[in-house]
Amino acid sequence: MTETTLSERTDPAVLPAAEAAALLAGAPWRRMVTIGDSVAAGVRDPAPGYRDLSWTDRVEEALRRAVPGFTALNLGRRDLVAAEVAAGQLRPALEFGPDLAFVVAGGNDMLRREFDAEGVRRELASMISAFRAAGADVVTIGLFDITVAGLGPARHRDVLSARTRRLAALTADVAAEFGACHVRNPPDHPLAADPGIYSADQLHLNARGHAFAAANTIRALAAHLASE
């Protein structure tokens, strides 16, 4: 018996482009902006059998297929903490005039020696509320817990897992406070424990992981549309 190698066309965790666009048919968004750190920027390794696209690339692709005249701007840049995202990206993002904004920040804060969770909460609230005041729908993202795949320095895994889950919870709380859509990437999902969705740095997703994250995000957007 030969082992089946997954690819974009056979992976059940990946949304085909046409299906992704169909889920977002009728979406009202014409201008999407993404701000944040390396997760927003789409840092990744390629993965055999998968298109080398980030999760934001895939969301943009689906919306371009579903929405006439759609355009997008990604301001994400790696290595930034939440305060740096707010200071450097919020103003140009608002000047773009988005009606859909992705806010992804806090991951680098939790990797510091001391994790100022309440500081991150304040920065997220500031960014989300600014977009909401400007009339944009906002989406936040819960990070994958890499420790469930056995990744990260062994001596730090308990702390890293606790911080990842705390960041996800506080992000979801702030999103709910301002009526934003929060995308959960649950640690109990079987694929989250698969080292094959992560990059060689054992921190970021690879192209397969980004395809999985995009599917979660697009389904969350579709559910958000259906709830309105």
Side-chain angles (χ1 to χ4, degrees):
M1 175 181 278
T2 58
E3 183 179 350
T4 301
T5 301
L6 285 175
S7 70
E8 180 143 347
R9 293 201 299 177
T10 61
D11 192 334
V14 176
L15 271 177
E19 185 177 340
L23 283 173
L24 299 180
W29 307 302
R30 298 295 184 271
R31 298 179 70 81
M32 168 181 153
V33 73
T34 302
I35 66 172
D37 50 29
S38 58
V39 176
V43 171
R44 65 194 178 279
D45 286 348
Y50 294 80
R51 292 184 295 157
D52 188 18
L53 299 173
S54 72
W55 66 272
T56 53
D57 293 332
R58 290 174 180 271
V59 172
E60 290 173 21
E61 177 185 65
L63 284 167
R64 282 194 177 95
R65 294 183 64 150
V67 180
F70 177 81
T71 188
L73 173 67
N74 191 331
L75 296 168
R77 190 159 59 87
R78 67 185 307 163
D79 299 329
L80 301 182
V81 294
E84 293 171 325
V85 173
Q89 297 177 18
L90 181 58
R91 180 175 177 179
L94 290 168
E95 289 174 348
F96 179 69
D99 51 17
L100 177 65
F102 283 82
V103 177
V104 189
N108 289 311
D109 297 79
M110 77 177 189
L111 295 177
R112 289 186 162 186
R113 184 178 295 275
E114 299 294 333
F115 176 31
D116 181 8
E118 290 309 307
V120 171
R121 183 189 296 271
R122 288 192 298 272
E123 296 295 347
L124 288 172
S126 172
M127 290 184 279
I128 294 169
S129 63
F131 283 121
R132 295 295 287 150
D137 285 325
V138 179
V139 184
T140 59
I141 307 289
L143 300 185
F144 287 89
D145 182 353
I146 62 172
T147 69
V148 300
L151 303 180
R155 67 185 184 278
H156 297 314
R157 283 179 191 157
D158 287 347
V159 171
L160 182 57
S161 178
R163 288 184 176 187
T164 302
R165 294 169 192 240
R166 185 177 182 189
L167 176 61
L170 75 84
T171 303
D173 286 347
V174 177
E177 180 181 352
F178 293 100
C181 171
H182 180 71
V183 182
R184 294 183 65 249
N185 286 304
D188 57 350
H189 191 289
L191 203 54
D194 183 351
I197 71 169
Y198 299 96
S199 289
D201 65 5
Q202 298 192 10
L203 185 63
H204 297 96
L205 298 172
N206 63 17
R208 181 187 174 202
H210 275 269
F212 170 46
N216 289 352
T217 303
I218 289 166
R219 289 191 176 103
L221 283 173
H224 181 73
L225 285 172
S227 69
E228 292 187 331

